[in-house]
Amino acid sequence: MAKQKEEKTNVMRILEQKGIPFTPHTYPHEEGVAVDGASVARSLGQDPECVFKTLVARGASKAIYVFDIPVEDTLDLKKAAKAVGEKSIAMLHQKELLPLTGYVHGGCSPVGMKKQYPTVFHETAEIIDTIMVSAGKIGYQVQLTPADLIALVGGTTADVTVE
């Protein structure tokens, strides 16, 4: 198990390269099997409000957008579309995720995608001390300050979840 702790993902390498302090975390998982975010938060002993999932959507204009929201919340497509100035948005089909982002379902991170897409974090990211997101691989998470993460990806914040 100690060897697994030493493994670095591209997300971790990017954070180190940019001099952004972070804490890596690992959680038990079956290879290739996505785990729901609430289970990840529980297994890491973290508040689900501070563990964010990364969702990728396509706007009516065909542009790609990234939304990071607390793992137990649901993305409100109307609010999300308004936040990015689109008429409407739809979730990306799972088969499109890897070719567009370089990440698999359950291991998608806002950091280190093949291309930096416009990224919106739920507004609660502004009031929490630390945020945890996928480290780009199932079984790995990184914890850092929301301000560092938002600045790194050039993100914005908005209310984008279902009430």
Side-chain angles (χ1 to χ4, degrees):
M1 198 66 150
K3 187 172 191 280
Q4 192 177 30
K5 287 268 191 224
E6 293 167 23
E7 185 172 339
K8 282 192 182 150
T9 67
N10 284 339
V11 171
M12 293 174 197
R13 287 186 197 94
I14 291 167
L15 292 171
E16 284 178 351
Q17 177 188 21
K18 302 284 185 189
I20 297 173
F22 69 95
T23 305
H25 295 271
T26 59
Y27 59 90
H29 66 287
E30 274 185 62
E31 201 55 48
V33 178
V35 182
D36 74 279
S39 298
V40 170
R42 275 193 305 278
S43 72
L44 293 172
Q46 298 292 320
D47 179 349
E49 290 298 309
C50 298
V51 180
F52 280 46
K53 59 187 171 186
T54 302
L55 305 171
V56 185
R58 177 177 280 121
S61 70
K62 303 294 182 219
I64 303 297
Y65 300 96
V66 177
F67 297 92
D68 277 271
I69 64 172
V71 293
E72 291 185 332
D73 291 357
T74 302
L75 185 66
D76 183 315
L77 296 176
K78 284 188 170 131
K79 287 181 183 177
K82 185 179 175 193
V84 295
E86 284 279 358
K87 184 175 169 185
S88 64
I89 63 163
M91 295 305 298
L92 207 61
H93 291 289
Q94 200 169 319
K95 68 179 192 289
E96 296 178 278
L97 192 62
L98 183 61
L100 284 170
T101 67
Y103 292 126
V104 297
H105 177 71
C108 194
S109 176
V111 178
M113 289 191 179
K114 285 183 174 182
K115 183 178 169 199
Q116 187 61 61
Y117 298 107
T119 304
V120 179
F121 291 84
H122 187 261
E123 62 189 1
T124 56
E126 294 179 313
I127 59 168
I128 56 178
D129 294 332
T130 65
I131 189 169
M132 190 176 285
V133 294
S134 173
K137 187 174 179 182
I138 296 172
Y140 297 82
Q141 297 276 111
V142 288
Q143 185 175 16
L144 63 161
T145 68
D148 283 347
L149 179 59
I150 294 167
L152 175 64
V153 301
T156 58
T157 59
D159 174 14
V160 292
T161 60
V162 174
E163 295 298 320

